[in-house]
Amino acid sequence: MLELKNISKVYKSKKRKSQALNDISVSFGESGLVCVVGESGSGKTTLLNILGLLDSPTCGELFLDGTNVNELSEKKKDEFRSNKLGFIFQDLNLVESYTVRQNLQLVSEHDDIETSHGELIELLGIGELLDKLPKEISGGQRQRVAIARALIKGSKILLCDEPTGSLDPTNARKIFETLKEISKQKLVVVVSHDVDTASKYADRIIEIENGKIVSDKLTGEEREKDRELRQEGEKEHKAIVSKRRKAKQLFGIAARYAKLKPVRFAFMSVTALLIFVMLSLLTAIASYNENSLIARTMHSQGADYFSVTKQVYGVYDETEYGVSGYIGHIKMTELEAEQLEKDFGTEADRVYTYHKGDLKSVSYDNNSHPSVPGFYSTTIQGSVELTNEFIDKYGYTLYGRLPQETNEAVLSEYAFRLFKFGGYMPDGYDKETIPINTRDDLIGKEIRVDRNSDYKSFTVVGILDTNLDYERYDFMGERLDDELKFRYSEFESVYEISPHAVLYVAENYIERLELDKNSIAHVFIKPASTVKGIKKQLAVGDLKMRDNLPPPNADNETNEYCFYKLRNEIVYGVKAVNAVFETVAKVVGIAAVVFAVILVLLILNYFSGVISDRIKDVGVLRTNGFSKWQICLLFIFEALILSAFIVVASIIFSAIVLSVGGHVFKSFFDLLFFPVSFSILQPLIIIGLQVAFSTLGILIPLIRLMRKKPVEIINAGKQ
Ligand code: ADP
Ligand code: MG
């Protein structure tokens, strides 16, 4: 059943060639205990490895059950090792991270090995050891487990390389007795340098010297038996352990490794976690985008308006050192307002320039309140024709009623608070200031506002609450701490184009008084209801130069051009930190790359460590018929287990750090928004990088491993 024909094996290294086997021809029967003896270095192990398909001969042929092994595929060889061959080495027999039971289960189709192989377990006396780890049992016991495993596999041939090499004489004898017993039904080839013990048990002794067989002796009585058995028909063994079961076992081994070296696993995981959290934070900052931040913030805070202004930009000096110019806010025409409505796809509420100026009737001016920095401004930026639709659209609240006559007006809640702060001043210098406490105190009063160089009087018929965040800005009427300066600038920049600073007049006011409609200070639009929609609106506003806009002064020789600007409190806040963020984003981008490199090195190092750790077990698995690809699976499982843990933990921690970080940043800089946020980007980056890096991590050591013959893996494990 096993026949060698003119087998030679030459090991070639750079410096020298050594012939381990020299033209060996020998055949083995179906059963019997064959001992291969010879001095150390004579070629015994080499011979056994070739018999076990762990190594291939340099030349010559090996027939196993009549099949020429040279012609077999790698897969077929694995199958043979899996089904027909059992190995017992001096050591390197057991998967160290597996219990005895699991080591036996490795080659059994049944989990309950006590039931399926009870007799065998009893025969070998390992019943007590089933739940122990290999390192907890003696050398003799390990060998018996290895023998048991070879038999459970149903191996027809047992190949033993110095199986008693590390055992005391008593245990060595026991092992030989066991092997002798087995050899009644199976072929057992034992390599040993211990000629005395071997000759006591052997049915046949083959002696080799310098790679050549120098004697081959059968004991007389065994000669006949051997012939008989040789004629026995060859039984086909089929694969015992299914692929699925093997995959499950490999997963078990991979999971066990993680538990077995918890410190290493934890170190790797925690480091990767920290790096991933850093990367998340960095990418959140690096991926910062002005418009999407504005849109997200406006959406989440339900910002109620956009103010659209027309800006003119003029270059008055262009030198090699740069460009200097000016920027200003200019009037729009009715046609432009209509154009904007098309661009934004929404109605634009015009703020006409009429009555832009000072609110005269309030008893307050900055000079008389030097400590008050200017939350209360008496400036009015223009007039809006107030309608119920306007109020509903922006979600404002009207106290009182709509103005109906051209001499009636509604003031903003902000203006009311201004009166409450300063008092109402009736027309005429000698009149005393009247305190205003409630909105009703102001309703019915006559107020005077600018009209060109003259004044115009209105009767207040209502107060419109325009949802100004008084809590955020009200303090400015009392004090101005340095730390609150940001809020002050924010308010100041927005106030002049906000719905809080306009006079609300009757519907069709402009038409009724026959005023020119082409005098629009700015318009209000309602922000879109989705983040995407707001972004689109911002993009319209970002148009730097528009062909359909005439330059403000066609005769002007300077290079002037116009663009639209969308503004509100949030836009201001984002713009204010934009410069800082863009710089930070660049620096952070570089840092992210550095961290990613560190992570790659870490993962590469981890997996090359993992593979060298596993090399012993890989050897055991290979000799038990696990294929190269199944070994790959083991490492893939291990990478998956590690990665799953790291990915899940990193995503959770990133989300926490980013939301906490966002809150801290927001309050630290006194902003209305979170500049960084957790998005789909972070999980994508974490998963993507972990998959990429761990693939890379296992790939290189795996390729190295895959190139090796089983014998090389086993030798590596032995060292
Ligand atoms: P034994 O098992 O009888 O002690 P081996 O079969 O291990 O002997 O070795 C036979 C000869 O082949 C020795 O001279 C040894 O140095 C050489 N040899 C064995 N394995 C290798 C190898 N992987 N590379 C080079 N030489 C080897
Ligand atoms: Mg040897």
Side-chain angles (χ1 to χ4, degrees), residues 11 16 18 20 39-47 715:
Y11 289 108
R16 55 192 203 93
S18 85
E39 286 185 359
S40 181
S42 56
K44 306 182 297 289
T45 298
T46 308
L47 179 69
N715 287 343

Side-chain angles (χ1 to χ4, degrees), residues 423-660:
Y424 171 73
M425 197 166 57
D427 203 3
Y429 290 104
D430 51 344
K431 300 265 174 69
E432 272 193 29
T433 298
I434 301 166
I436 301 287
N437 292 316
T438 65
R439 296 182 183 94
D440 284 325
D441 289 345
L442 190 58
I443 291 176
K445 296 273 187 301
E446 286 263 303
I447 53 155
R448 283 188 304 138
V449 293
D450 271 335
R451 187 175 68 185
N452 302 330
S453 53
D454 201 3
Y455 305 128
K456 178 173 162 71
S457 291
F458 287 93
T459 306
V460 179
V461 295
I463 312 285
L464 184 69
D465 189 348
T466 51
N467 297 344
L468 176 60
D469 185 354
Y470 292 98
E471 243 173 70
R472 186 165 169 84
Y473 306 112
D474 211 9
F475 67 93
M476 293 189 297
E478 316 295 330
R479 68 201 154 84
L480 182 62
D481 299 336
D482 264 3
E483 65 191 75
L484 295 169
K485 269 209 171 114
F486 184 80
R487 281 190 204 191
Y488 175 66
S489 317
E490 179 183 283
F491 174 77
E492 202 184 27
S493 80
V494 171
Y495 169 74
E496 59 176 16
I497 49 154
S498 72
H500 325 303
V502 295
L503 187 73
Y504 292 97
V505 294
E507 203 173 351
N508 299 327
Y509 178 85
I510 307 295
E511 228 170 77
R512 280 197 253 173
L513 294 182
E514 293 177 350
L515 298 170
D516 182 7
K517 280 194 158 187
N518 292 316
S519 188
I520 300 168
H522 53 271
V523 299
F524 297 134
I525 62 163
K526 176 77 187 166
S529 55
T530 61
V531 173
K532 224 173 149 184
I534 298 174
K535 271 193 189 167
K536 255 187 173 165
Q537 292 177 329
L538 284 164
V540 173
D542 273 352
L543 287 177
K544 289 286 183 237
M545 214 185 324
R546 293 175 52 91
D547 296 339
N548 59 346
L549 282 183
N553 184 351
D555 304 330
N556 204 322
E557 288 285 294
T558 56
N559 303 312
E560 284 187 330
Y561 63 85
C562 298
F563 58 96
Y564 293 114
K565 217 165 151 180
L566 267 73
R567 283 205 281 169
N568 59 29
E569 291 85 338
I570 290 164
V571 174
Y572 172 79
V574 173
K575 301 250 182 221
V577 293
N578 191 37
V580 180
F581 252 83
E582 284 190 336
T583 317
V584 171
K586 267 183 211 141
V587 176
V588 145
I590 296 164
V593 171
V594 172
F595 275 116
V597 169
I598 294 174
L599 191 62
V600 172
L601 296 177
L602 201 76
I603 291 178
L604 286 184
N605 176 299
Y606 181 81
F607 280 110
S608 62
V610 160
I611 292 193
S612 64
D613 264 13
R614 309 290 179 266
I615 195 93
K616 251 184 155 168
D617 287 350
V618 169
V620 176
L621 293 172
R622 288 292 270 142
T623 56
N624 281 289
F626 281 74
S627 70
K628 276 182 180 182
W629 300 109
Q630 282 164 339
I631 300 301
C632 279
L633 203 60
L634 172 69
F635 291 104
I636 291 166
F637 281 147
E638 188 153 9
L640 275 179
I641 292 168
L642 180 80
S643 299
F645 181 81
I646 290 176
V647 162
V648 171
S650 299
I651 290 174
I652 293 171
F653 271 84
S654 297
I656 294 171
V657 166
L658 280 175
S659 68
V660 172

Side-chain angles (χ1 to χ4, degrees), residues 44-45 161-162 191:
K44 306 182 297 289
T45 298
D161 192 354
E162 313 268 6
V191 155

Side-chain angles (χ1 to χ4, degrees), residues 299-409:
H299 182 73
S300 67
Q301 301 196 355
D304 48 29
Y305 78 99
F306 259 134
S307 178
V308 186
T309 59
K310 182 182 175 186
Q311 305 280 321
V312 60
Y313 177 68
V315 177
Y316 60 69
D317 200 8
E318 201 169 348
T319 69
E320 56 182 305
Y321 302 108
V323 178
S324 33
Y326 57 91
I327 198 159
H329 170 180
I330 56 167
K331 287 198 285 186
M332 292 181 220
T333 63
E334 175 59 24
L335 196 71
E336 285 176 56
E338 282 165 14
Q339 180 68 49
L340 278 180
E341 288 182 324
K342 270 189 215 148
D343 287 346
F344 289 112
T346 182
E347 231 172 282
D349 296 290
R350 284 89 166 144
V351 179
Y352 294 101
T353 53
Y354 306 109
H355 311 303
K356 183 177 167 71
D358 233 16
L359 187 57
K360 297 295 177 190
S361 313
V362 64
S363 172
Y364 162 80
D365 72 76
N366 282 330
N367 294 339
S368 58
H369 297 277
S371 65
V372 179
F375 174 64
Y376 293 120
S377 163
T378 56
T379 312
I380 284 198
Q381 302 291 345
S383 314
V384 171
E385 292 179 350
L386 190 64
T387 60
N388 278 323
E389 295 86 78
F390 180 93
I391 296 170
D392 289 347
K393 181 166 39 162
Y394 295 101
Y396 297 158
T397 324
L398 177 64
Y399 188 85
R401 64 168 174 84
L402 289 173
Q404 276 148 10
E405 306 302 325
T406 54
N407 63 352
E408 287 178 348

